Amino acid sequence: MFKNYSEAKEYILENNIKIIDFKIVDMSGRWHHLTIPATRFDEKLLKDGIGFDGSSYGFLTVEKSDMVFIPDLTSTFIAPFSEIPTLTMIGNIYALKEKRERFEDDPRYLVEKAKKFLVDKNIADTALLGPEFEFYLLDSISVKNEVNHMEVSIESSQGEWNAANKENNTGLNIRNYNSYHLDKPFDTNSDFRDMVTLHLEENNIPIKYHHCENGGPGQVEIEVCHGDIVEMADRTMKLKYILRSCAAKFNKTITFLPKPFNGECGSGMHIHLHLFDKGKPLFYDENGYSKLSQTALYSIGGLLKHAPALMPFTNPSTNSFKRLIPGFEAPVSICFATANRSAVIRIPNYATEPMDKRYEIRFPDGTCNPYYAYSAVLMAMIDGIENKIDPTKEGFGPFDFNLYNLSEEQKKSIKALPTNLLEAAEALENDHEFLLKGNVFSKNIIKNQIDRIKKDHYKINEMPHPEEFKMYYNL
């Protein structure tokens, strides 16, 4: 938003800004914040930064936990719904060694390094990403998990289970798997999405469109216009923040949980990908498969080869793998195809012009840290291009048929994604050298991510589940 301190100060004075709020991201992709009065915002702060405890973010140990963040003026945006006029800035994290330097494991620094690696390799100067954000907009959520009581209760006025409700029922309940692109008045969340869209546009997050998704109890999708990888990582964090702020104003709650409902559609975060160099699209070839260039196919080869190892960053929750089951437009087969939603990589059949030619990777979800996830995806693409990994020669397709209907014999010939976090962690343990290139990822990040998701896996795996009581209580 601002190029220098003078521009920021002028805006603060002209718009009567009273509060400056700083956001810093942790390893899991959550924002933390620290706030100062606008009168304290000066050039010295932009030079010296603000100290904080890095151990509380999971970055450093307690005995060596002092860190500093310095606000990035270009990341400034207007905080929606603040009662007091507030500007928000994202901070870059610095480590205190012999001299102050960017912390190598700062998620925001990681995506900058990945972009630089792409440029330094003379592959491209722009990596455009277009995430599709699927989520559920709900009325309420309650959770209780104690020694003798396990319960989750989710409420949505749109839910099919409310069809028999005799109080204030307007008959707008939606059957399961039956909400895709529904019109008003059945689309009861349309006004919410309209308001969110305007706030996002005001904060430099252009929106392609929004609509109801297929999940009956309030599933929706917001698709953003494509943007460069560094900017898109910031936009992802801003979008989640603005969405949740708007939901609070509507007395609603939002979840990006991949599978909040049993027997209902899950929520993913499909990512459209294409590369450009000096404005020239690198993924188009009139004579290539589905009009894809060899560069595009090599990048697909890299993504498919490393797909299992990407999942600790793209699908880092135990719940992620409850979505990745056949039959719910969630891919499990490691392959590529045109217009095929059952493949891990889908090439949109409608994107035929050179500037639009791209593909989408369909297994990531919204529980990821976008800085880590986008960086890992780009590193796999670069590895495929550098090493000329041909996806067809590797046995990844193209498979232009419904992969959900494979026979047991056919399934054996097509590799599948990991089925839980433990398998994903093991895949990353065995395949991470491509992430270390250019010092983009550190061994510390990889180790910490593996340790974290393994811990989550064992924690959930050890807990009794209510369904087990139905199945085994009387045996």
Side-chain angles (χ1 to χ4, degrees):
M1 187 172 182
F2 304 121
K3 296 177 182 177
N4 53 51
Y5 171 76
S6 297
E7 286 187 5
K9 192 65 177 179
E10 182 179 353
Y11 183 92
I12 289 168
L13 293 173
E14 288 182 354
N15 292 275
N16 199 30
I17 299 297
K18 300 296 185 183
I19 295 292
I20 309 293
D21 192 53
F22 304 111
K23 307 288 191 192
I24 311 98
V25 68
D26 67 12
M27 287 189 66
S28 64
R30 293 177 302 179
W31 258 348
H32 302 251
H33 79 138
L34 184 147
T35 309
I36 64 170
T39 52
R40 269 212 59 218
F41 183 70
D42 55 24
E43 287 188 276
K44 186 175 186 298
L45 185 147
L46 292 175
K47 178 179 179 293
D48 297 339
I50 297 176
F52 71 100
D53 174 13
S55 66
S56 295
Y57 288 65
F59 292 128
L60 297 174
T61 56
V62 175
E63 69 273 14
K64 296 179 181 180
S65 61
D66 286 348
M67 305 186 85
V68 166
F69 73 81
I70 296 178
D72 178 359
L73 286 174
T74 65
S75 72
T76 306
F77 66 101
I78 303 164
F81 305 121
S82 296
E83 292 185 12
I84 299 172
T86 301
L87 273 185
T88 298
M89 302 177 187
I90 305 174
N92 290 324
I93 302 173
Y94 286 75
L96 304 173
K97 298 182 180 179
E98 293 182 3
K99 62 177 182 178
R100 185 176 299 171
E101 57 188 53
R102 286 292 293 273
F103 177 51
E104 67 172 352
D105 291 353
D106 174 5
R108 201 160 184 259
Y109 188 34
L110 212 76
V111 77
E112 293 174 18
K113 290 189 288 184
K115 168 67 181 296
K116 183 177 184 300
F117 186 65
L118 174 76
V119 174
D120 288 347
K121 286 293 179 180
N122 293 316
I123 293 172
D125 58 24
T126 304
L128 285 190
L129 276 69
E132 299 176 7
F133 297 100
E134 296 176 347
F135 55 93
Y136 276 90
L137 181 64
L138 305 167
D139 294 319
S140 64
I141 174 76
S142 63
V143 180
K144 188 174 184 178
N145 192 9
E146 297 179 356
V147 172
N148 67 326
H149 190 137
M150 294 163 284
E151 178 186 1
V152 176
S153 179
I154 310 174
E155 192 51 74
S156 168
S157 59
Q158 286 186 285
E160 186 175 22
W161 61 84
N162 276 316
N165 188 345
K166 295 181 181 179
E167 295 184 11
N168 302 317
N169 194 334
T170 57
L172 298 178
N173 315 103
I174 300 171
R175 297 193 311 275
N176 288 358
Y177 326 119
N178 201 45
S179 182
Y180 189 68
H181 284 194
L182 274 185
D183 193 9
K184 299 176 181 179
F186 298 97
D187 181 8
T188 59
N189 296 322
S190 182
D191 288 344
F192 167 83
R193 297 196 311 276
D194 287 343
M195 184 181 73
V196 167
T197 295
L198 294 179
H199 282 294
L200 293 171
E201 290 269 347
E202 287 171 0
N203 283 291
N204 193 32
I205 306 176
I207 302 303
K208 187 176 179 181
Y209 50 63
H210 64 74
H211 58 82
C212 285
E213 252 303 330
N214 209 26
Q219 190 184 35
V220 298
E221 177 180 308
I222 294 178
E223 187 166 337
V224 298
C225 296
H226 300 182
D228 194 51
I229 183 171
V230 177
E231 178 65 24
M232 189 54 71
D234 281 346
R235 286 179 180 176
T236 300
M237 296 298 296
K238 292 178 187 177
L239 178 139
K240 283 187 168 186
Y241 171 75
I242 292 172
L243 273 173
R244 290 189 169 115
S245 298
C246 289
K249 287 296 179 181
F250 272 69
N251 200 27
K252 297 273 191 176
T253 180
I254 277 173
T255 183
F256 287 88
L257 201 66
K259 193 72 172 178
F261 293 101
N262 178 40
E264 183 54 282
C265 295
S267 296
M269 190 181 75
H270 311 149
I271 306 171
H272 293 255
L273 302 162
H274 43 162
L275 300 178
F276 292 80
D277 192 47
K278 298 179 179 63
K280 177 185 176 183
L282 301 184
F283 278 6
Y284 181 81
D285 182 349
E286 176 68 30
N287 300 313
Y289 167 76
S290 200
K291 295 188 177 181
L292 285 178
S293 68
Q294 193 62 59
T295 297
L297 291 169
Y298 286 150
S299 69
I300 287 174
L303 283 168
L304 294 175
K305 178 180 179 179
H306 299 299
L310 294 177
M311 296 189 77
F313 296 108
T314 59
N315 305 73
S317 72
T318 56
N319 189 260
S320 296
F321 296 86
K322 292 178 171 61
R323 164 185 164 253
L324 296 172
I325 54 177
F328 291 88
E329 290 200 9
V332 294
S333 299
I334 302 178
C335 58
F336 73 107
T338 301
N340 190 343
R341 286 174 166 78
S342 62
V344 158
I345 289 180
R346 167 183 166 264
I347 304 151
N349 207 21
Y350 52 76
T352 57
E353 295 301 312
M355 297 298 289
D356 297 329
K357 200 62 201 172
R358 62 187 186 272
Y359 56 80
E360 65 169 346
I361 181 168
R362 293 181 59 79
F363 59 81
D365 65 57
T367 62
C368 70
N369 179 328
Y371 299 101
Y372 288 161
Y374 298 165
S375 299
V377 165
L378 182 59
M379 293 301 288
M381 294 169 67
I382 293 171
D383 189 65
I385 294 168
E386 270 201 303
N387 293 296
K388 295 182 169 53
I389 301 174
D390 188 311
T392 300
K393 292 180 180 177
E394 294 285 335
F396 296 134
F399 298 132
D400 294 312
F401 51 82
N402 191 339
L403 295 158
Y404 298 144
N405 296 330
L406 296 179
S407 66
E408 291 303 315
E409 194 61 33
Q410 287 174 314
K411 289 178 183 177
K412 294 177 183 177
S413 64
I414 300 177
K415 294 179 181 178
L417 294 173
T419 60
N420 56 53
L421 270 185
L422 187 60
E423 290 181 11
E426 291 170 349
L428 182 57
E429 284 177 325
N430 296 322
D431 178 23
H432 58 257
E433 290 300 320
F434 71 100
L435 296 172
L436 299 174
K437 293 179 179 179
N439 295 316
V440 174
F441 282 76
S442 69
K443 290 184 177 180
N444 185 58
I445 287 179
I446 292 169
K447 179 184 181 301
N448 285 347
Q449 192 74 354
I450 289 171
D451 290 346
R452 185 171 74 87
I453 66 174
K454 277 187 174 181
K455 183 179 178 181
D456 286 356
H457 170 83
Y458 287 123
K459 178 180 179 179
I460 298 301
N461 201 48
E462 290 167 2
M463 288 183 179
H465 188 284
E467 190 65 20
E468 291 176 304
F469 288 83
K470 290 184 182 180
M471 295 170 64
Y472 308 124
Y473 185 80
N474 288 315
L475 290 182

